[in-house]
Amino acid sequence: MAKKTMIEAINEAMEQEMEQNERVIVLGEDVGRNGGVFRATDGLQARFGEDRVIDTPLAESGIVGTAVGLSVNGFRPIAEIQFLGFVYETMDQLSAQAARLRFRSAGRFHAPIVIRSPYGGGVRTPELHSDSLEGLFTHSPGLKVVMPSNAYDAKGLLISAIRDDDPVVFLEPMKLYRAIRMEVPDEAYTLPIGKANVVKKGSDLTIVTWGATVPLVTKISEEFMTHGIDIEVIDLRALQPLDIDTIIQSVEKTTKLVIVHEAVRNNGFGAEISAVVNERALFSLSAPIVRVTGYDTPYPVPTMEDNWLPNADRITTKVKELLAY
Amino acid sequence: MYDESTLVKEKFQLLDENGQFDDSKGYDFDDDLLVKMYKWMVKMRSFDVRLLKMQRQGRIGTYAPFSGQEAAQIGSAVALDLKDWIFPSYREIAACVTHGLPMKQVLLYVKGHFEGGEIPKELNIFPIQIIIAAQALHATGCAWASKLKGEKQVSVSYFGDGATSEGDFHEALNFASVHKVPTIFFCQNNQWAISVPLKKQTVSSTIAQKAIAYGMKGVRVDGNDVLAVYQVMKEAVARARNGEGPTLIEAVTYRQGPHTTADDPTKYREEKEVENWINVKDPITRFRQFLEKKNLWTVSQEEALQKTCNEEIDQAIQEAEEEPLIPTYAAFDYVYAEGNTLLQEQKEEVQRNGQRREDV
């Protein structure tokens, strides 16, 4: 076992799945010779050839739409959307086509596709490169939505996603691609899609988060711990399917819930979690549920993004308010 | 062989509006094939007319009739092997049935039965596409898969003239030509996208000429001439199977009826135009005149065929109407391969509601 970054773990997951199943192929913009703009597919074309690691024309709807056709005729395409902000170009092929195929055909067809895409803020990108758009996909029945927060989870979840018989939107926090190295097994392994990870057990308050914000929330919880405040941190890993039991068990124990996500607040996935907790554990709560999220503006310019994102100051302030409630 | 340089501008035609066959081009067709295609055209016209009636009677939901487009759909579908794939939109019922889809299955679809989209396992037909041009990409991807696997199937997407304005049309043609995949883009230019005429979709003088921009073979054909359609389709299929890449076919035809049963075309089309296409250019009348001249078809055969068609349609309708409905809760099993907590709870709620209503 070696220490790997998330981007290395993602690359390794694809390489190993392509190795063991010749029907796994990669397609997208710049994924071939260039190895992807973040090097996620680095070396794959050299190893597996141009028929299995395909530089497509620059067209997101074309990438996902042809992936649907490829998937019904025997392949397991891994389609890359270069940045998640470009996904609007292919929303029909994702939400109206891939997502609904099993249902539309009463089970005759299905689309085993993985749609990988980098997302998330704090990287000083141009416009529409940093948006967190997971709510678009959780609102599309038929799609699974996976959002890993570290290298180990990314590899196991991506292998599960490639083997999954349903379309999986696999969102990779670009800020974390190379931020942290951690032990990642060299061999292939899977993690169940829909099982949350309790990153830190605690008894005073629960923070539910996913993807890009998990390391920040974990760090904040450790700082609170030095002051004797024991926060439980749940990394959802996947939003669809949602691990409701882990959330409810935690809230029943701590009685206080903070939800942290980078996506805009209005109709964000935090609202869904809040509703689910209200429906199932209202009387376990000792205080209102709090959300710390991106604000309800378009994702702002780089000189503003640090104030816009759920940063350490915003999260800490809200946690303190809730603890004092 | 037809002249490639002019065909994107001129319509390839073998049978004129009076059923006169153009001998000069040197084509000959097997008598059995001619009769087979004619029988399909008559059966599909009868089916279409019946479905319209059933909609008026409230026995099916909104329906998009295809009368007038039988030559385009049947001529193209007959040129395929059973293993070839077709990706239809909602107005391609005749192509689907010719390619093997049972009429009962069509009836389940238009009745809104949950299994309407459950294409029988042995058929390579995609469920009916509602979103305009989306299926062109699916056919391209499917054909690409055949190429990667070294298999010989071709994939055909069917769409109308309006679809050529969509981004997915462009992306599909571009992907298909760049990767030289065995797919055929079969455009039925029926002149109208609901109420919008072709001249408001494009200023290109033909749809077929758009192929030139993609470095792709383009063919313009009289879509009401079943022989010409069959011939250009057969050649496009042969090219695709032979690794020579995709073809865009523009079949010039006409939607004789409304866009759907919810549409009133008298609001936007001249009666004269419609009458001309029905009375002068109808694809079935023209073909029957040809067959009669060749002594391949008689009045008594026509009567017998009408009777058989009606019997088959009656039978399909009866089977579809007797098909038990799928309970709503069963739909939850087709969202994912496996269920999840929230879906399971909703399914159980629907089951409980159903039981409560039955208790009452």
Side-chain angles (χ1 to χ4, degrees), chain A residues 65-321:
Chain A
T66 54
V68 170
L70 283 157
S71 75
V72 299
N73 198 359
F75 284 86
R76 286 187 174 262
I78 307 171
E80 179 175 302
I81 300 299
Q82 199 161 65
F83 288 90
L84 190 56
F86 309 167
V87 83
Y88 293 114
E89 292 278 4
T90 184
M91 282 310 294
D92 174 68
Q93 289 295 344
L94 269 174
S95 293
Q97 306 302 331
R100 301 172 77 116
L101 189 54
R102 182 186 295 281
F103 195 82
R104 178 181 299 157
S105 66
R108 162 70 202 276
F109 297 108
H110 61 279
I113 304 169
V114 179
I115 299 95
R116 293 182 38 252
S117 188
Y119 80 97
V123 195
R124 307 291 182 258
T125 63
E127 196 188 1
L128 283 162
H129 285 64
S130 297
D131 297 58
S132 295
L133 304 175
E134 61 268 29
L136 299 177
F137 315 115
T138 57
H139 207 67
S140 297
L143 297 179
K144 291 184 175 178
V145 183
V146 178
M147 299 180 77
S149 68
N150 61 67
Y152 175 82
D153 288 3
K155 181 173 175 184
L157 289 167
L158 183 52
I159 290 176
S160 294
I162 294 166
R163 295 179 188 178
D164 201 283
D165 280 337
D166 289 305
V168 179
V169 179
F170 192 88
L171 304 180
E172 303 164 0
M174 71 178 103
K175 189 169 64 181
L176 303 181
Y177 267 152
R178 293 181 173 80
I180 304 159
R181 282 188 177 275
M182 69 188 293
E183 295 287 340
V184 176
D186 293 330
E187 67 276 10
Y189 59 93
T190 59
L191 290 174
I193 293 174
K195 183 75 192 119
N197 180 30
V198 181
V199 180
K200 180 184 167 301
K201 283 205 174 296
S203 53
D204 295 332
L205 178 146
T206 300
I207 303 181
V208 169
T209 189
W210 54 88
T213 42
V214 172
L216 174 63
V217 167
T218 308
K219 189 161 160 262
I220 290 167
S221 74
E222 284 159 1
E223 280 166 16
F224 273 98
M225 198 66 194
T226 64
H227 297 95
I229 295 160
D230 196 3
I231 294 173
E232 180 147 306
V233 178
I234 297 175
D235 174 358
L236 285 181
R237 285 178 168 161
L239 306 188
Q240 177 62 264
L242 178 64
D243 184 353
I244 296 161
D245 292 347
T246 298
I247 300 170
I248 298 299
Q249 281 163 20
S250 180
V251 170
E252 284 173 345
K253 177 174 63 178
T254 66
T255 77
K256 288 177 176 173
L257 176 61
V258 177
I259 302 158
V260 178
H261 62 64
E262 284 194 10
V264 298
R265 184 172 308 168
N266 190 35
N267 291 333
F269 198 71
E272 183 62 31
I273 294 170
S274 174
V276 165
V277 171
N278 277 316
E279 285 161 2
R280 289 158 203 258
L282 180 65
F283 298 110
S284 299
L285 290 170
S286 62
I289 296 168
V290 170
R291 287 178 285 167
V292 186
T293 69
Y295 292 112
D296 290 333
T297 70
Y299 194 92
V301 294
T303 54
M304 292 177 171
E305 67 178 332
D306 291 346
N307 294 322
W308 188 90
L309 288 164
N311 54 37
D313 178 55
R314 289 180 57 199
I315 298 168
T316 305
T317 304
K318 286 292 177 186
V319 167
K320 283 180 181 167
E321 281 174 18

Side-chain angles (χ1 to χ4, degrees), chain A residues 23 54 59 61-62 65-66 69-70 73 75 92-93 97 102-109 142-143 166 240 244 280, chain B residues 117-121 123 125 129 131 134 137-138 141-142 146 149 168 171 179 331 334-337 340 342 345:
Chain A
R23 291 297 173 82
I54 302 161
S61 189
T66 54
L70 283 157
N73 198 359
F75 284 86
D92 174 68
Q93 289 295 344
Q97 306 302 331
R102 182 186 295 281
F103 195 82
R104 178 181 299 157
S105 66
R108 162 70 202 276
F109 297 108
L143 297 179
D166 289 305
Q240 177 62 264
I244 296 161
R280 289 158 203 258
Chain B
E118 190 185 0
I119 309 297
K121 280 223 161 13
L123 297 176
I125 301 174
Q129 182 58 248
I131 302 300
L137 281 168
H138 304 157
C142 185
S146 297
K149 290 191 286 185
D168 277 359
E171 294 188 26
H179 289 278
Y334 295 92
V335 185
Y336 299 98
N340 62 52
L342 288 172
E345 286 179 7

Side-chain angles (χ1 to χ4, degrees), chain B residues 11-29:
Chain B
K11 266 188 310 195
F12 181 69
Q13 191 190 60
L14 291 172
L15 209 54
D16 73 10
E17 289 163 9
N18 302 315
Q20 277 298 337
F21 184 73
D22 182 352
D23 287 319
S24 70
K25 294 195 173 89
Y27 293 101
D28 191 22
F29 298 91

